[in-house]
Amino acid sequence: AGVSFGLEAGAVYDLTGPSGAGKSMLLRACARMMPLAAGRLLLDGTEGDALTCQEWRRRVCLVPQRASLVPGTVRDNLLIPWALKVNRGRPAPSDAQLAQLMDAALLDVPLDRDAARLSGGQKQRIAIVRALMMKPEVMLFDEPTSALDPEMVGEVLAVMRELAQERMTMVVVTHEMGFAREVANRVMFMDGGNFVEE
Protein backbone atom coordinates (compact mmCIF):
# COMPACT_ATOMS: atom_id res chain seq x y z
CA ALA A 1 0.00 0.00 0.00
CA GLY A 2 1.11 3.55 -0.60
CA VAL A 3 -0.26 7.06 -0.36
CA SER A 4 0.81 10.33 -1.90
CA PHE A 5 -0.53 13.76 -1.04
CA GLY A 6 0.51 17.35 -0.62
CA LEU A 7 -0.68 19.97 1.84
CA GLU A 8 -1.64 23.50 0.93
CA ALA A 9 -0.63 26.06 3.55
CA GLY A 10 -3.57 27.16 5.68
CA ALA A 11 -5.85 24.29 4.64
CA VAL A 12 -7.50 21.66 6.83
CA TYR A 13 -7.48 18.01 5.73
CA ASP A 14 -9.80 15.47 7.31
CA LEU A 15 -8.62 11.87 7.21
CA THR A 16 -11.33 9.30 7.82
CA GLY A 17 -11.93 5.59 7.29
CA PRO A 18 -12.49 2.35 9.18
CA SER A 19 -10.40 1.21 12.13
CA GLY A 20 -7.13 -0.31 10.92
CA ALA A 21 -7.15 1.66 7.63
CA GLY A 22 -3.71 3.13 8.35
CA LYS A 23 -4.72 6.65 9.40
CA SER A 24 -2.74 6.79 12.65
CA MET A 25 0.24 5.09 11.04
CA LEU A 26 0.22 7.69 8.25
CA LEU A 27 0.23 10.55 10.78
CA ARG A 28 3.03 8.93 12.77
CA ALA A 29 5.05 8.57 9.57
CA CYS A 30 4.39 12.23 8.69
CA ALA A 31 5.59 13.22 12.17
CA ARG A 32 8.72 11.05 11.70
CA MET A 33 7.81 8.93 14.69
CA MET A 34 8.34 5.76 12.69
CA PRO A 35 10.63 4.96 9.76
CA LEU A 36 9.32 4.95 6.20
CA ALA A 37 9.52 1.59 4.43
CA ALA A 38 9.70 3.51 1.14
CA GLY A 39 9.00 6.96 -0.22
CA ARG A 40 9.93 10.37 1.12
CA LEU A 41 8.68 13.33 3.11
CA LEU A 42 9.12 16.91 1.95
CA LEU A 43 8.61 20.09 3.95
CA ASP A 44 8.71 23.30 1.90
CA GLY A 45 10.70 21.38 -0.71
CA THR A 46 13.27 20.15 1.84
CA GLU A 47 13.79 16.39 2.10
CA GLY A 48 12.90 15.02 5.52
CA ASP A 49 16.33 13.37 5.78
CA ALA A 50 17.99 16.79 5.47
CA LEU A 51 16.45 17.85 8.79
CA THR A 52 17.08 16.34 12.20
CA CYS A 53 14.09 14.56 13.77
CA GLN A 54 14.07 17.28 16.41
CA GLU A 55 13.83 20.07 13.82
CA TRP A 56 11.18 18.16 11.85
CA ARG A 57 9.06 17.58 14.96
CA ARG A 58 9.30 21.24 15.88
CA ARG A 59 7.87 22.18 12.47
CA VAL A 60 5.38 19.27 12.19
CA CYS A 61 3.66 18.61 15.53
CA LEU A 62 1.50 15.59 16.34
CA VAL A 63 -1.26 15.77 18.96
CA PRO A 64 -2.07 12.14 19.86
CA GLN A 65 -5.36 10.52 20.91
CA ARG A 66 -4.44 10.82 24.58
CA ALA A 67 -2.48 13.78 25.86
CA SER A 68 0.85 12.56 27.18
CA LEU A 69 1.46 14.95 30.05
CA VAL A 70 4.40 14.51 32.41
CA PRO A 71 4.09 14.53 36.22
CA GLY A 72 4.25 18.11 37.45
CA THR A 73 2.39 21.37 37.01
CA VAL A 74 0.62 22.82 33.98
CA ARG A 75 3.63 25.16 33.61
CA ASP A 76 6.06 22.20 33.63
CA ASN A 77 4.10 20.57 30.81
CA LEU A 78 3.92 23.70 28.68
CA LEU A 79 7.67 24.28 29.01
CA ILE A 80 8.61 20.74 27.90
CA PRO A 81 9.90 21.99 24.50
CA TRP A 82 12.48 24.09 26.38
CA ALA A 83 13.31 21.34 28.89
CA LEU A 84 14.03 19.04 25.93
CA LYS A 85 15.90 21.86 24.12
CA VAL A 86 13.60 21.49 21.09
CA ASN A 87 13.02 25.25 21.00
CA ARG A 88 16.74 25.96 21.10
CA GLY A 89 17.54 29.63 20.60
CA ARG A 90 14.09 30.86 21.59
CA PRO A 91 13.58 32.33 25.05
CA ALA A 92 11.08 30.49 27.22
CA PRO A 93 7.78 32.35 27.48
CA SER A 94 6.84 34.27 30.60
CA ASP A 95 3.91 33.26 32.77
CA ALA A 96 1.93 36.12 31.19
CA GLN A 97 2.60 34.73 27.70
CA LEU A 98 1.65 31.22 28.85
CA ALA A 99 -1.59 32.55 30.33
CA GLN A 100 -2.37 34.32 27.04
CA LEU A 101 -1.87 31.09 25.08
CA MET A 102 -4.05 29.18 27.53
CA ASP A 103 -6.74 31.82 27.24
CA ALA A 104 -6.71 31.35 23.45
CA ALA A 105 -7.23 27.61 24.07
CA LEU A 106 -10.22 28.34 26.34
CA LEU A 107 -8.27 27.08 29.37
CA ASP A 108 -8.87 28.72 32.72
CA VAL A 109 -6.56 26.80 35.06
CA PRO A 110 -3.66 28.07 37.21
CA LEU A 111 -0.17 27.41 35.84
CA ASP A 112 0.85 25.82 39.14
CA ARG A 113 -2.02 23.29 39.16
CA ASP A 114 -0.97 19.64 39.24
CA ALA A 115 -1.48 18.35 35.68
CA ALA A 116 -2.78 15.03 37.08
CA ARG A 117 -5.81 16.91 38.45
CA LEU A 118 -6.95 18.19 35.04
CA SER A 119 -9.95 16.80 33.17
CA GLY A 120 -9.44 14.89 29.93
CA GLY A 121 -10.52 17.91 27.87
CA GLN A 122 -8.12 20.19 29.75
CA LYS A 123 -5.23 17.76 29.27
CA GLN A 124 -5.90 17.55 25.55
CA ARG A 125 -5.99 21.34 25.25
CA ILE A 126 -2.72 21.57 27.21
CA ALA A 127 -1.22 19.18 24.62
CA ILE A 128 -2.48 21.45 21.82
CA VAL A 129 -1.07 24.60 23.49
CA ARG A 130 2.26 22.82 24.04
CA ALA A 131 2.41 21.93 20.35
CA LEU A 132 1.50 25.49 19.33
CA MET A 133 4.35 26.84 21.44
CA MET A 134 6.73 25.18 18.98
CA LYS A 135 5.30 27.55 16.32
CA PRO A 136 4.77 24.62 13.93
CA GLU A 137 3.99 24.90 10.24
CA VAL A 138 1.76 21.80 10.29
CA MET A 139 -0.39 20.31 13.07
CA LEU A 140 -1.38 16.64 12.95
CA PHE A 141 -4.32 15.55 15.13
CA ASP A 142 -4.85 11.81 15.68
CA GLU A 143 -8.46 11.46 16.88
CA PRO A 144 -7.92 14.07 19.61
CA THR A 145 -11.47 13.67 20.95
CA SER A 146 -11.83 9.87 20.86
CA ALA A 147 -10.87 9.35 24.53
CA LEU A 148 -13.02 12.19 25.87
CA ASP A 149 -16.45 12.37 27.44
CA PRO A 150 -19.06 13.94 25.12
CA GLU A 151 -19.13 17.27 26.98
CA MET A 152 -15.34 17.59 26.63
CA VAL A 153 -15.35 16.91 22.87
CA GLY A 154 -16.84 20.34 22.16
CA GLU A 155 -14.09 22.06 24.19
CA VAL A 156 -11.32 20.53 22.08
CA LEU A 157 -13.13 21.01 18.75
CA ALA A 158 -13.66 24.70 19.62
CA VAL A 159 -9.88 25.17 19.90
CA MET A 160 -9.34 23.37 16.59
CA ARG A 161 -11.97 25.58 14.92
CA GLU A 162 -10.05 28.63 16.15
CA LEU A 163 -6.84 27.22 14.64
CA ALA A 164 -8.62 26.64 11.32
CA GLN A 165 -9.84 30.24 11.32
CA GLU A 166 -6.26 31.37 11.96
CA ARG A 167 -5.23 29.34 8.86
CA MET A 168 -3.10 26.73 10.63
CA THR A 169 -2.31 23.87 8.23
CA MET A 170 -3.85 20.77 9.81
CA VAL A 171 -4.39 17.08 9.09
CA VAL A 172 -7.10 15.72 11.37
CA VAL A 173 -8.08 12.08 11.89
CA THR A 174 -11.60 12.27 13.25
CA HIS A 175 -15.00 10.64 13.12
CA GLU A 176 -16.66 13.95 14.01
CA MET A 177 -18.30 14.41 10.62
CA GLY A 178 -20.02 17.67 11.60
CA PHE A 179 -16.61 19.15 12.38
CA ALA A 180 -15.18 17.82 9.10
CA ARG A 181 -18.04 19.30 7.06
CA GLU A 182 -17.70 22.65 8.78
CA VAL A 183 -13.92 23.05 8.83
CA ALA A 184 -12.16 20.75 6.34
CA ASN A 185 -11.07 21.89 2.89
CA ARG A 186 -10.54 18.27 1.82
CA VAL A 187 -11.84 14.99 3.20
CA MET A 188 -9.81 11.88 2.34
CA PHE A 189 -11.27 8.41 2.96
CA MET A 190 -8.66 5.76 3.67
CA ASP A 191 -8.97 1.98 3.59
CA GLY A 192 -6.34 -0.74 3.46
CA GLY A 193 -3.52 1.77 3.60
CA ASN A 194 -4.73 3.67 0.52
CA PHE A 195 -6.82 6.71 -0.26
CA VAL A 196 -9.96 5.31 -1.88
CA GLU A 197 -12.05 8.47 -2.13
CA GLU A 198 -11.61 12.20 -1.77
Side-chain angles (χ1 to χ4, degrees):
V3 295
S4 179
F5 70 106
L7 303 179
E8 182 184 328
V12 178
Y13 300 80
D14 178 70
L15 196 54
T16 190
S19 183
K23 305 180 297 295
S24 294
M25 190 174 287
L26 176 60
L27 285 198
R28 288 176 59 78
C30 288
R32 283 185 63 183
M33 296 180 79
M34 57 179 289
L36 295 179
R40 58 192 189 140
L41 294 168
L42 296 171
L43 184 60
D44 275 341
T46 303
E47 287 274 0
D49 292 346
L51 299 169
T52 65
C53 272
Q54 196 174 49
E55 172 66 7
W56 184 275
R57 290 177 192 164
R58 188 188 63 73
R59 296 172 67 184
V60 180
C61 286
L62 174 67
V63 177
Q65 284 185 25
R66 285 180 173 79
S68 50
L69 301 189
V70 299
T73 65
V74 168
R75 183 187 294 102
D76 294 334
N77 276 277
L78 291 176
L79 293 177
I80 289 267
W82 283 269
L84 298 178
K85 297 185 170 60
V86 175
N87 271 352
R88 190 176 294 143
R90 288 187 189 156
S94 66
D95 279 3
Q97 289 169 314
L98 291 178
Q100 193 174 10
L101 278 165
M102 288 174 56
D103 191 49
L106 311 175
L107 268 166
D108 184 19
V109 294
L111 288 169
D112 57 2
R113 176 164 296 172
D114 183 355
R117 293 177 51 212
L118 300 176
S119 71
Q122 289 171 328
K123 288 178 180 177
Q124 199 65 301
R125 283 177 287 160
I126 291 289
I128 293 171
V129 171
R130 185 172 60 194
L132 287 173
M133 289 173 57
M134 311 273 276
K135 301 196 183 314
E137 293 158 49
V138 181
M139 292 273 286
L140 309 172
F141 291 92
D142 188 7
E143 297 196 61
T145 60
S146 67
L148 301 180
D149 293 333
E151 65 270 18
M152 296 174 186
V153 169
E155 298 173 356
V156 174
L157 292 183
V159 176
M160 293 168 67
R161 278 189 191 91
E162 288 287 325
L163 291 176
Q165 287 169 2
E166 291 166 13
R167 310 251 325 131
M168 169 62 75
T169 307
M170 299 191 289
V171 182
V172 183
V173 173
T174 182
H175 296 293
E176 301 286 341
M177 289 299 101
F179 174 80
R181 268 194 302 275
E182 178 189 345
V183 175
N185 301 96
R186 281 172 67 188
V187 177
M188 299 175 290
F189 188 85
M190 200 171 180
D191 196 11
N194 293 292
F195 291 145
V196 294
E197 198 166 343
E198 197 176 300

